[in-house]
Amino acid sequence: MAGDGVDATILQLLQDNDGLDTMDIARQLGIDHQLVVGAVKSLQSLGDVITAEQRVSKWWELTGEGRLVVENGSHEAVLYRAIPPEGVLQKKLMESIPNAKVGFSNAMKKKWIHMDKTGANGPVVKQAVSAIEDDVQKTVQDIAANQGEGVDNKVKQEMKKRKLIQEVTMNSFVLKKGSGFSTSVTKLDTDLTPEMINSGLWKEKKFKPYNFDALGVPPVSGHLHPLLKVRAQFRQIFLEMGFTEMKTNNYIESSFWNFDTLFVPQQHPARDEHDTFFIKEPMYAQGFPEEYMDKVKTVHSQGGFGSQGYQYEWKREEAQKNVLRTHTTAVSARMLYQLAQQQKDGFKPVKLFSIDRVFRNETLDATHLAEFNQIEGVVADYNLTLGDLMGVLHAFFKKLGIEKLRFKPAYNPYTEPSMEVFSYHEGLQKWVEVGNSGVFRPEMLLPMGLPEDISVIAWGLSLERPTMIKYGIDNIRELVGHKINLQMVYDNPICQLNP
């Protein structure tokens, strides 16, 4: 049965008066409106006992300061009445009454008072008129009497600005009898039990309808890290542009594929242990394509293909050293070599990409880690130029929603010309390097066996920095590592890099 409380009283009231407002019910019963609303929700759960249509009511009421104005007058009127006929020192007046600063300012505007600055002890405030009419008090009294009805909106806004009144918004419900109305209502059952089925009691019961649109309890599940979300978006963009993904499942790479095939000399600082992680066991790699290795050795030590090389003694032992790969360009080199070996039916242009982890012996700071993810794109076709590279980069980054790009000439051992790519970071308020790019050198491509009129443009960027730009993160250590805020991982939506 509906209880003997507010819900039962509402049913009794509706018996005689259809169409009651919950605000009126609350006033009639002398209780808080929320108690009435709670009772209405309870009755609605019983079925079609009542109907409730929401109504929004707005009115104006006095603030605490406004009630003081009704009792004592406006601040300017109180100040005016505090001034004796002979006047009073401004300092003494300002200390003697509340809200003196507001009252003084408004009284001066209305020319109710004036100041005599010739006094020996300081400025003296005197009455400028013999009588005043306190229109502010009258306006506030009218608003209090009629809840703002009949008062010009401009006047009400002025009173609101003075913090004398405030607008109140109240959501209430208009209640009417439902199709199943009764002052005595049976509570609906929510569970169908085995006992009801066995005894047949379920035939006499009324059950609460199931709400199939209600949301269930969210299942406990894992959450994708922002890096994985952005990685998926990058991958999708590459696929949309017609690129094929390269296999990148070998974190350990030989120095030959990581450096030598890219025309990086064996004395280059990047091959120093201050920049690269070397593997102790196994220390050396085996199983190289010997003919290709000889060509790489020759172009390094003696030159060839129109290049004078580096003119140094190239050592096989140095090329065999295993390292944690410093870039995924080593994977690109392997793929281009395989492409050169598959030219029996002629060269076929390709577009390749990879997204995977690389390792460098970096000093940790706000934008650098020793382990990060590199994104690389490679296009091999006939007679490609630097203009083609810049066009592809603009198209690629535009799909990421990054249009503020700058290019800076750079040096890479394996590309010529080379460019660094910068994007403006709104959080750091500066230009941040997001990638490197260039056209692969002939000294790298021709020893592989690729035709002379084939050009390869390539670019690489980290996954972390675009993610920082997308999610407004200033420090890379807040994205990866022990300082990461797990709540950020839970709350961030699926990445959408809008163009």
Side-chain angles (χ1 to χ4, degrees), residues 174-199:
V174 177
L175 306 182
K176 294 182 180 180
K177 298 172 185 174
S179 58
F181 178 80
S182 172
T183 56
S184 178
V185 181
T186 303
K187 186 175 181 181
L188 299 177
D189 283 288
T190 57
D191 295 316
L192 178 64
T193 64
E195 290 77 12
M196 291 180 184
I197 296 173
N198 292 331
S199 63

Side-chain angles (χ1 to χ4, degrees), residues 407-438:
F407 301 105
K408 177 183 175 183
Y411 168 76
N412 289 317
Y414 46 91
T415 58
E416 179 60 37
S418 306
M419 299 184 303
E420 292 175 346
V421 186
F422 290 81
S423 172
Y424 190 74
H425 191 300
E426 298 292 347
L428 294 176
Q429 293 292 300
K430 67 176 184 179
W431 291 90
V432 178
E433 182 186 353
V434 293
N436 214 320
S437 64

Side-chain angles (χ1 to χ4, degrees), residues 103-204:
F104 183 86
S105 176
N106 288 322
M108 288 291 288
K109 287 181 182 178
K110 295 179 178 180
K111 297 182 179 180
W112 289 356
I113 62 175
H114 68 88
M115 288 181 60
D116 181 1
K117 298 183 179 180
T118 62
N121 297 321
V124 176
V125 182
K126 296 182 179 180
Q127 294 179 348
V129 294
S130 58
I132 61 169
E133 183 178 345
D134 194 354
D135 54 340
V136 172
Q137 183 185 40
K138 184 178 182 305
T139 298
V140 174
Q141 288 173 339
D142 290 343
I143 292 174
N146 303 306
Q147 295 184 341
E149 294 292 332
V151 179
D152 185 75
N153 188 59
K154 186 177 180 181
V155 175
K156 287 187 286 190
Q157 292 301 322
E158 180 63 29
M159 295 300 104
K160 179 183 177 182
K161 186 177 180 181
R162 291 187 61 168
K163 299 181 180 179
L164 301 180
I165 63 172
Q166 60 188 2
E167 189 175 23
V168 179
T169 301
M170 177 65 72
N171 293 321
S172 61
F173 297 89
V174 177
L175 306 182
K176 294 182 180 180
K177 298 172 185 174
S179 58
F181 178 80
S182 172
T183 56
S184 178
V185 181
T186 303
K187 186 175 181 181
L188 299 177
D189 283 288
T190 57
D191 295 316
L192 178 64
T193 64
E195 290 77 12
M196 291 180 184
I197 296 173
N198 292 331
S199 63
L201 186 62
W202 64 272
K203 298 177 183 179
E204 304 172 8

Side-chain angles (χ1 to χ4, degrees), residues 121-383:
N121 297 321
V124 176
V125 182
K126 296 182 179 180
Q127 294 179 348
V129 294
S130 58
I132 61 169
E133 183 178 345
D134 194 354
D135 54 340
V136 172
Q137 183 185 40
K138 184 178 182 305
T139 298
V140 174
Q141 288 173 339
D142 290 343
I143 292 174
N146 303 306
Q147 295 184 341
E149 294 292 332
V151 179
D152 185 75
N153 188 59
K154 186 177 180 181
V155 175
K156 287 187 286 190
Q157 292 301 322
E158 180 63 29
M159 295 300 104
K160 179 183 177 182
K161 186 177 180 181
R162 291 187 61 168
K163 299 181 180 179
L164 301 180
I165 63 172
Q166 60 188 2
E167 189 175 23
V168 179
T169 301
M170 177 65 72
N171 293 321
S172 61
F173 297 89
V174 177
L175 306 182
K176 294 182 180 180
K177 298 172 185 174
S179 58
F181 178 80
S182 172
T183 56
S184 178
V185 181
T186 303
K187 186 175 181 181
L188 299 177
D189 283 288
T190 57
D191 295 316
L192 178 64
T193 64
E195 290 77 12
M196 291 180 184
I197 296 173
N198 292 331
S199 63
L201 186 62
W202 64 272
K203 298 177 183 179
E204 304 172 8
K205 294 282 186 180
K206 289 187 177 181
F207 293 92
K208 182 179 179 181
Y210 282 104
N211 181 7
F212 292 102
D213 295 326
L215 296 176
V217 178
V220 178
S221 61
H223 300 267
L224 287 177
H225 189 279
L227 278 175
L228 294 178
K229 297 174 186 176
V230 177
R231 183 188 189 281
Q233 190 71 9
F234 269 110
R235 185 174 183 274
Q236 184 61 34
I237 289 170
F238 271 117
L239 294 175
E240 288 175 359
M241 294 178 70
F243 283 70
T244 302
E245 189 167 11
M246 296 183 280
K247 293 182 179 180
T248 56
N249 54 352
N250 50 325
Y251 290 164
I252 297 176
E253 188 59 271
S254 68
S255 293
F256 176 74
W257 289 106
N258 198 81
F259 295 117
D260 293 275
T261 61
L262 304 181
F263 199 54
V264 178
Q266 294 185 340
Q267 298 86 3
H268 195 280
R271 302 179 69 154
D272 190 87
E273 60 186 18
H274 292 295
D275 293 302
T276 301
F277 293 108
F278 287 86
I279 306 300
K280 287 185 177 179
E281 184 63 36
M283 184 176 290
Y284 298 106
Q286 306 294 334
F288 299 98
E290 295 298 330
E291 183 180 351
Y292 175 47
M293 195 174 202
D294 288 339
K295 291 181 180 179
V296 171
K297 174 183 177 181
T298 301
V299 80
H300 275 252
S301 58
Q302 301 174 23
F305 308 105
S307 170
Q308 66 180 8
Y310 293 115
Q311 301 296 316
Y312 72 97
E313 185 182 352
W314 187 88
K315 297 180 180 179
R316 182 187 181 95
E317 180 180 340
E318 188 69 27
Q320 288 180 289
K321 289 182 179 178
N322 282 324
V323 298
L324 287 177
R325 67 179 179 208
T326 60
H327 46 202
T328 52
T329 314
V331 180
S332 301
R334 285 180 177 271
M335 291 298 296
L336 289 172
Y337 173 73
Q338 292 177 18
L339 182 66
Q341 310 312 304
Q342 299 169 358
Q343 295 187 80
K344 294 180 181 179
D345 299 327
F347 175 82
K348 294 181 180 179
V350 294
K351 294 187 288 186
L352 306 170
F353 81 95
S354 62
I355 308 174
D356 212 337
R357 196 171 303 173
V358 297
F359 310 86
R360 295 181 189 175
N361 198 355
E362 297 267 15
T363 300
L364 304 186
D365 59 28
T367 56
H368 292 85
L369 290 176
E371 174 184 338
F372 60 95
N373 292 275
Q374 181 177 332
I375 303 163
E376 181 157 336
V378 175
V379 180
D381 204 344
Y382 293 96
N383 302 315

